[in-house]
Structures are given as structure tokens and as C-alpha cells.
Amino acid sequence: MTTHKQDQLRAEMLDSVRRFVDREVIPTATPLEHANEYPTALVERMKELGLFGATIPEEYGGLGLDFTTYAMIIEELCRGWMTLSGILNTHLLLAYILRMYGTPDQKQRLLPAMTTGEKRGALALTEPHAGSDAQQIRTTAVRAGDSYLINGSKMFVTNGRHGTMFALAAKTDPQADPPHRGISLFVAEKGPGGCTVSRDIDKIGYKGVDTSEVLFEDFPVPAANLIGGTEGAGFKQVMSGLEVGRINIAARAVGVARAAFEDAIRYAQQRETFGKPICEHQAIQLKLADMATKLEAARLLTHQAARKKDRGERCDMEAGMAKLFASETAQEVSLEAMRILGGYGYTKEFRVERYYRDAPLMIIGEGTNEIQRIVIAKNLIRKYSI
Ligand SMILES: Cc1cc2nc3c(=O)[nH]c(=O)nc-3n(C[C@H](O)[C@H](O)[C@H](O)COP(=O)(O)OP(=O)(O)OC[C@H]3O[C@@H](n4cnc5c(N)ncnc54)[C@H](O)[C@@H]3O)c2cc1C
């Protein structure tokens, strides 16, 4: 796609998403969130807007947007409701892995139906005993004729119930040393028998979207669904996909921080104490200035990581920095917004309480911020090696 066409498409998409958020998301998000209700109607509208194919190339029917535009779209969506970005995240993460590493047959078979949202992806990496240390997963995939039989249990699978297929990491060689060489990645499409969504996990925020535990018992996955057709390449594939996931998380955090800042600056001009609007008190001004400055910095880091991914370069350090800074910013800014709203900020009558409950997920999900710091430091030591 030419730069001009990409710019035009970016402007059009952002305009459509902005209108969708203002007219349909903001008025409905709070009741849906408080009821922990799946946003079926909003998901259908997201399909109509083409968001399930946002970053899938045009040759497979997608919009072929770059990751910078994707980050802008995610920010807009999360200005309305962070949950909506989670419905897209692992779906587009799987699409990215297929685009990068899938066989021609896998791309042709799966990507077109993903663009429409007919097929919906999820990521089944984490297990009850293995999150940060993903190499320690215990789920196994054993070849049996034209299939692999999957056995194991996956934890915290976002879209686990509403998704139709998983990017599923499993050990094809449990004895491999180092362990990551024994991990393979499969597209496991749900089917009868052997795959059970055993429960949905109740969360303090990130409501509405399903985060599930999924059990696999002799669940057959066709060998044709081993991503790239090669055993032992799964860890690298999933780590590369997580760069896209971390851009999504950073952009989400920017969206939540922006919503909190915008609600706070509006309120600060309406609420009066000691004879003037609170925005005229210097203590409030200092807060607003810090909130806006951190928000801008978080957005710039996010776009920098996305641009590097768009150039086809490895961006684990930049995506890690963006995710780390933006998520800590979202947490700080949502708390500052709550302080600015005073007692009202602590009620369920204003949206700030939701931002405050949603923000910590970005600190933990897609690799905790402790792990991001480790990734960043490893890159720095390599870069500055003497
Ligand atoms: C709402 C939600 C949705 C999620 N969605 C998905 C999904 O769709 N698919 C999926 O596969 N996973 C998903 N996850 C899982 C998520 O990625 C993990 O929770 C996360 O990676 C942390 O793993 P853990 O919870 O096992 O924590 P642990 O790995 O047990 O870590 C516990 C603590 O120890 C710290 N720690 C661990 N190792 C180190 C170290 N080497 N140095 C310093 N500190 C360390 C961590 O930072 C953390 O503070 C989701 C999680 C949540 C909460």
C-alpha cells in the first residue's frame, strides 16, 4: 500500500472509530461493565468497521493497516472502554503470527475468515503454574497420525469462551534443553470433544470480556495446523507476536490515561471550591500538567515501538519500554483523576473508578512490568557491550 493510501485510510478509520466510540461505546460501556456483560452489539459493530481485519493484509481481505495506525485505533477504543481492545488483541496477535510464520495453506485457510470475525483468535500460552516463565509450560502435543493430541490446562485465556480458535503453545519435546526449543505453536480450532472452557475468571476490572481456563484432554489438532509446519519454533513465534501484543497494551494504557485525564480536566473546570473552579488552584494545575506530560510521553513511546514494528524490525525493547511506561502512567493518571474528582471519583457514578480498576491489568498482562524491565536491560547490555 502506498504511503498516501495508508495516510488516507488511517484518517478515515480513525474518524470512524472516534464516532463509534463517542456515539456507541461511551453511552453504553458503564452499564455493561457494571453488569459484567459481554458487549455483543459492540463486537458486531467492530466487525462491521473491519476491526477484526485491521492489520491483516489486503490480499486476505483485511484492511492492511500498519501498527502505528493500529495503536491509534486502540487508543481511541480504550478512551471509550478498555475491554474492547482485549477482544481484538489476541485475535490480531494470532493473525500476525500466521502472516509471519504460517504456511501458505494456513494463511489462505485461516486469515480471510479472521478478517470478518467469523473465526476469532485467542492466545493459550499461560498455564496455572507458568506465566512469566513461559518455557515451563507442561501442555504436551504428541503426534498421532495426521494429528497431534493435546493434553494440558491453559489459564487466563482472553477470548477463551467467545473465540473460535487458539494460538496454542505446547511441548512437542518435553526433554529439550533449553526448554524453549521443545515448544511448538498450533492453531487449535474448537471442536467437539477434548477441549473444555472450564471456567471464566472473575476480575476486578477488564469486565465484559471472557478470561477463561481451558482444559485439553486428548484434543486432536491436525498436523496441518502446526504453525509454519516446523516443531520447536513456537517460542520464537509467540515472542514475536507478543511484540504486537505489547504495542496493543501500551496503546490501551494511553487510551485509559487519556480518558482519565480528559474527565479530570473537564471536572476541574466545573467544580468550585473556595470561590473558584478547582482548576485555578495551583495544586490541581500541577497534577493536570504532570498527567498530560506523561500521557504525551507514553503515546510517543508507543508510536515509536509501532513504527519500528512497521519497518519489520525487532522491537522487543521499544515495545517493552512503551508498555512499561504507558501502563505505569495509566495507573498514576487514573489515581490522580480520582483525587481530582474527590469523593465523586470514588463512586460508581463517574467513569474514573473504572479506569482505576482497568489500569493495573496493563501492568501485569502481556508480560509483567518486572519482566519488561528484564527484557529492556538485556537489550541495553547487548547494545552497550564493551
Ligand atoms: C486479565 C488477564 C488476561 C490475560 N490474558 C492472557 C491471554 O489471553 N493469554 C495468555 O496466555 N495469558 C494471559 N494472561 C496471563 C498473563 O500474561 C500472566 O498473568 C502474566 O504474564 C504473569 O504471569 P503470572 O500471573 O503467572 O505471574 P508470575 O509469573 O507467577 O509472576 C508473579 C510475580 O513475580 C514476578 N516475577 C516473575 N519472574 C520474575 C523475575 N525473573 N524477576 C523479577 N520478577 C519476576 C512477576 O513480575 C510478578 O510480579 C492474562 C492475565 C490476566 C490477569
Side-chain angles (χ1 to χ4, degrees):
M1 199 186 295
T2 61
T3 315
H4 175 67
K5 203 174 158 210
Q6 184 73 246
D7 286 349
Q8 205 179 351
L9 192 54
R10 172 183 294 175
E12 282 169 16
M13 275 310 292
L14 281 173
D15 195 43
S16 306
V17 174
R18 212 169 278 140
R19 267 185 282 126
F20 167 62
V21 168
D22 285 332
R23 292 181 189 171
E24 298 171 61
V25 179
I26 291 177
T28 55
T30 299
L32 285 170
E33 207 268 348
H34 286 169
N36 195 15
E37 195 177 317
Y38 191 77
T40 307
L42 295 177
V43 171
E44 289 308 307
R45 287 285 295 121
M46 282 159 60
K47 287 183 187 169
E48 286 166 19
L49 288 165
L51 293 179
F52 283 86
T55 53
I56 298 177
E58 287 170 298
E59 60 182 299
Y60 302 107
L63 296 175
L65 297 173
D66 59 24
F67 289 109
T68 312
T69 309
Y70 175 56
M72 292 173 179
I73 289 174
I74 295 299
E75 175 185 334
E76 280 299 327
L77 282 179
C78 294
R79 176 175 71 82
W81 189 12
M82 196 265 273
T83 283
L84 299 183
S85 68
I87 291 168
L88 294 178
N89 180 30
T90 45
H91 174 80
L92 290 172
L93 189 154
L94 171 55
Y96 172 78
I97 292 175
L98 282 172
R99 164 153 71 98
M100 294 303 291
Y101 305 105
T103 61
D105 160 66
Q106 289 167 350
K107 293 182 206 191
Q108 288 299 344
R109 220 166 10 98
L110 300 166
L111 287 175
M114 290 181 79
T115 63
T116 56
E118 179 200 331
K119 286 188 192 291
R120 294 204 19 215
L123 172 67
L125 173 65
T126 304
E127 298 187 0
H129 65 281
S132 306
D133 194 1
Q135 292 192 57
Q136 302 309 325
I137 58 169
R138 291 182 194 147
T139 296
T140 53
V142 176
R143 183 85 189 227
D146 288 341
S147 297
Y148 284 85
L149 291 181
I150 310 289
N151 280 286
S153 128
K154 293 289 178 179
M155 186 66 178
F156 292 123
V157 183
T158 301
N159 300 310
R161 194 169 290 281
H162 287 91
T164 65
M165 57 190 192
F166 307 99
L168 180 131
K171 290 250 168 106
T172 39
D173 179 4
Q175 312 309 331
D177 183 21
H180 69 81
R181 293 218 179 114
I183 295 176
S184 302
L185 200 61
F186 297 86
V187 177
E189 295 201 67
K190 283 183 182 169
C195 167
T196 316
V197 180
S198 50
R199 67 182 172 117
D200 289 338
I201 296 151
D202 201 7
K203 300 160 289 187
I204 61 164
Y206 199 35
K207 300 266 185 188
V209 63
D210 38 319
T211 304
S212 315
E213 185 170 27
V214 186
L215 305 178
F216 297 93
E217 287 168 293
D218 285 334
F219 182 66
V221 172
N225 280 14
L226 167 65
I227 296 182
T230 320
E231 289 186 8
F235 195 73
K236 183 181 157 222
Q237 293 167 351
V238 85
M239 287 300 136
S240 163
L242 283 175
E243 289 180 3
V244 175
R246 285 168 191 164
I247 291 169
N248 173 299
I249 298 283
R252 276 186 208 193
V254 173
V256 170
R258 177 172 150 205
F261 167 74
E262 290 180 354
D263 284 9
I265 198 162
R266 202 175 311 116
Y267 185 86
Q269 294 168 76
Q270 293 162 339
R271 179 74 173 173
E272 292 193 359
T273 66
F274 301 96
K276 53 186 175 186
I278 60 170
C279 68
E280 289 180 21
H281 298 306
Q282 210 171 54
I284 299 291
Q285 291 178 347
L286 298 184
K287 285 188 194 301
L288 292 171
D290 284 349
M291 290 159 81
T293 305
K294 286 184 182 168
L295 171 57
E296 287 292 326
R299 184 182 290 119
L300 288 173
L301 279 174
T302 305
H303 291 183
Q304 170 176 276
R307 279 197 299 271
K308 202 160 180 213
K309 194 75 183 163
D310 285 332
R311 292 197 297 272
E313 295 171 33
R314 179 175 164 175
C315 70
D316 54 343
M317 181 167 85
E318 292 76 9
M321 285 177 168
K323 190 262 185 200
L324 166 65
F325 187 80
S327 58
E328 298 290 347
T329 294
Q331 179 70 56
E332 276 178 46
V333 169
S334 57
L335 177 58
E336 287 300 84
M338 189 178 279
R339 288 181 203 259
I340 290 174
L341 266 71
Y344 297 97
Y346 196 65
T347 69
K348 287 193 157 188
E349 289 167 23
F350 287 80
R351 292 188 292 256
V352 166
E353 58 87 27
R354 165 155 55 89
Y355 312 143
Y356 180 76
R357 287 183 289 108
D358 279 348
L361 172 65
M362 272 85 79
I363 290 175
I364 293 164
E366 225 76 11
T368 66
N369 280 359
E370 289 76 20
I371 296 298
Q372 301 312 310
R373 287 183 173 95
I374 291 169
V375 170
I376 294 164
K378 280 188 180 155
N379 273 281
L380 290 173
I381 292 162
R382 214 173 18 243
K383 187 171 167 190
Y384 289 93
S385 88
I386 48 171

